[in-house]
Amino acid sequence: MHNNGRFGIHGGQYIPETLMNAVIELEEAYNRYKDDPEFKSELSELFNEYAGRPSRLYYAKRMSEDLGGAKIYLKREDLNHTGAHKINNVLGQALLAKKMGKTRLIAETGAGQHGVATATAAALFGMECVVFMGEEDTRRQALNVYKMKLLGAEVIPVTTGTATLKDAVSQAMREWTSRIADTHYCLGSVMGPHPFPTIVRDFQAVISDEIRSQMLEKEGRLPDAVIACVGGGSNAIGSFYHFIPDEQVELIGCEAAGRGIDTFETAATIHTGRLGIFHGMKSYFCQDEFGQIAPVYSISAGLDYPGIGPEHAWLHDTGRARYEAITDEEAVGAFEYVSRMEGIIPAIESAHALAYAMKYAPSLPKDKILVVTVSGRGDKDCVSVAKYRGEEISE
Ligand SMILES: *Cc1c(COP(=O)(O)O)cnc(C)c1O
């Protein structure tokens, strides 16, 4: 299945020679520690005591009854410390970096969520932290810039290209190349060159590990489908991973259609992208007619990455997972519906997965069970959703 970081034809290491030493060092360290009992017990203590794991698997009774079909369970990653699944990955990578003797973490961030999570882990471990963020994004996400600085990180605005997430990733890779000795690049999703897609997936796989045992305990069987939103794809692959061998469990990723997959204002990589090579990996990317990376758009800042992790590209190729495109309008509808029905304000990213569950559940009989991963909480999105509805509120 995985051959040198390959997922089918996807993945690999398409990087300059100067970065090879860094990824080889990282892969060797990861192989040394991933099954080490001491590393595993330190990480699970961090997950439990610091992040607040295990996260709950909650039966959304009102929503299930109102929709009138399958039972819907919510995997509550929004209840984690810092309010999303991203903490799972950064705690894992920070611990690994510490074992490798690194004293400095660098990261890219788009909306600022991964930057805040990395700054949090750096504070916890007493490490230096530098976050690269598109200049455009630093203006749009001033609150997260403040939080990163409060946590002790330095935020460097990136002015190249479109001054957004993809440029921040490129800049972080360049910085890593120039300073490998004391620095670990804490990449934020299941993307980039091998071994990142595997490392990030393994740290996020705690989600499906927990869903499995919680579901067996509550229902005595596996769910019929697991649904999660896909930006780079880390919360989705984490939710899917331990179910991949169980062919009867449907795996459904929800990508951001933005204003629609037939418009240019979309971030739906599987629906509109083509095979390409970017950020060190082969996968599907949104591209223009010349094969350049196309600008992407979604109401959800966490989903507007122009690519998708290589393992998802492979799950799509093999048909093991399917990918649905959800528009801004549908996601905003789900954001409001789940808030009202369950008293849970989901992240607008997670609302893409919830919107698909709202369409899918009514078509299924009542004895079917869906699990939807709520990747994060929606406090951060209230201002922009209000604005979408024509209401101006100040922070
Ligand atoms: C960053 C983020 C995402 C998208 O990232 P993935 O790697 O696709 O999981 C989704 N939901 C929330 C709440 C996020 O912060």
Side-chain angles (χ1 to χ4, degrees):
M1 188 164 81
H2 320 149
N3 184 353
N4 207 9
R6 290 280 179 182
F7 301 95
I9 60 166
H10 305 283
Q13 293 176 312
Y14 297 88
I15 50 175
E17 212 171 13
T18 43
L19 212 54
M20 273 314 283
N21 286 335
V23 297
I24 290 169
E25 185 194 8
L26 178 60
E27 182 175 12
E28 285 174 357
Y30 184 62
N31 287 337
R32 182 157 71 248
Y33 289 110
K34 68 176 184 195
D35 300 316
D36 175 55
E38 195 180 300
F39 182 86
K40 284 167 71 171
S41 89
E42 280 178 60
L43 185 59
S44 78
E45 179 157 339
L46 285 166
F47 277 3
N48 299 348
E49 301 299 323
Y50 189 71
R53 303 207 71 87
S55 69
R56 313 317 285 240
L57 183 69
Y58 166 75
Y59 171 44
K61 185 162 182 280
R62 265 178 43 85
M63 191 177 156
S64 304
E65 287 177 359
D66 183 60
L67 294 168
K71 274 177 109 165
I72 299 172
Y73 279 85
L74 305 179
K75 180 57 174 164
R76 301 285 313 274
E77 292 298 298
D78 59 312
L79 297 178
N80 297 341
H81 178 49
T82 71
H85 68 291
K86 290 202 167 73
I87 194 78
N88 307 328
N89 172 40
V90 299
L91 288 176
Q93 288 199 50
L95 183 63
L96 181 62
K98 193 178 123 191
K99 299 278 180 200
M100 294 171 74
K102 309 286 178 184
T103 56
R104 182 170 173 265
L105 296 179
I106 61 171
E108 83 294 342
T109 199
Q113 300 301 112
H114 176 58
V116 170
T118 306
T120 300
L124 177 67
F125 284 87
M127 295 168 104
E128 222 184 299
C129 183
V130 177
V131 179
F132 295 91
M133 187 171 188
E135 191 176 41
E136 183 61 31
D137 290 331
T138 61
R139 274 193 293 271
R140 289 193 291 210
Q141 305 289 340
L143 182 60
N144 278 338
V145 174
Y146 175 77
K147 285 185 192 170
M148 287 183 263
K149 290 180 177 165
L150 183 65
L151 290 160
E154 185 187 352
V155 179
I156 300 187
V158 177
T159 54
T160 48
T162 50
T164 56
L165 175 60
K166 74 169 173 52
D167 310 292
V169 174
S170 305
Q171 190 60 38
M173 284 186 175
R174 273 194 289 276
E175 166 71 15
W176 199 32
T177 309
S178 72
R179 190 166 163 185
I180 297 168
D182 67 347
T183 299
H184 172 69
Y185 176 17
C186 185
L187 216 155
S189 192
V190 282
M191 44 153 295
H194 176 67
F196 284 110
T198 298
I199 291 181
V200 178
R201 181 254 280 151
D202 288 352
F203 291 141
Q204 292 294 358
V206 66
I207 302 173
S208 49
D209 194 31
E210 288 176 5
I211 295 174
R212 223 188 145 84
S213 53
Q214 290 167 325
M215 187 52 77
L216 287 172
E217 190 166 306
K218 285 177 195 291
E219 295 277 355
R221 69 174 184 89
L222 298 182
D224 296 291
V226 178
I227 306 173
C229 66
V230 180
S234 68
N235 87 89
I237 210 79
S239 303
F240 295 172
Y241 186 65
H242 289 286
F243 295 108
I244 292 175
D246 304 299
E247 292 284 338
Q248 77 275 24
V249 181
E250 264 194 293
L251 305 175
I252 306 167
C254 299
E255 46 180 28
R259 299 209 163 88
I261 53 173
D262 48 0
T263 73
F264 289 106
E265 291 172 298
T266 181
T269 309
I270 292 284
H271 284 80
T272 67
R274 281 179 291 132
L275 190 65
I277 291 169
F278 188 55
H279 285 155
M281 60 176 172
K282 183 181 278 186
S283 189
Y284 295 112
F285 297 94
C286 296
Q287 302 171 41
D288 69 14
E289 61 194 297
F290 306 108
Q292 297 293 322
I293 296 300
V296 285
Y297 163 81
S298 160
I299 188 172
S300 150
L303 300 184
D304 65 0
Y305 179 70
I308 188 167
E311 193 164 6
H312 285 291
W314 174 73
L315 290 172
H316 167 70
D317 287 355
T318 60
R320 179 62 191 93
R322 68 183 160 94
Y323 294 84
E324 300 289 337
I326 298 295
T327 63
D328 288 358
E329 183 65 27
E330 292 171 317
V332 167
F335 180 88
E336 294 166 336
Y337 176 80
V338 176
S339 298
R340 226 169 34 240
M341 291 305 287
E342 295 292 345
I344 295 169
I345 303 175
I348 191 69
E349 292 85 4
S350 321
H352 287 70
L354 292 160
Y356 185 70
M358 287 166 62
K359 293 202 273 193
Y360 193 36
S363 74
L364 298 171
K366 288 192 163 63
D367 63 348
K368 294 285 180 184
I369 300 172
L370 308 181
V371 174
V372 187
T373 296
V374 180
S375 54
R377 63 172 185 237
D379 313 48
K380 66 183 181 54
D381 301 306
C382 290
V383 172
S384 62
V385 172
K387 191 168 173 194
Y388 181 89
R389 291 297 191 209
E391 198 180 331
E392 285 292 339
I393 53 175
S394 62
E395 290 189 39

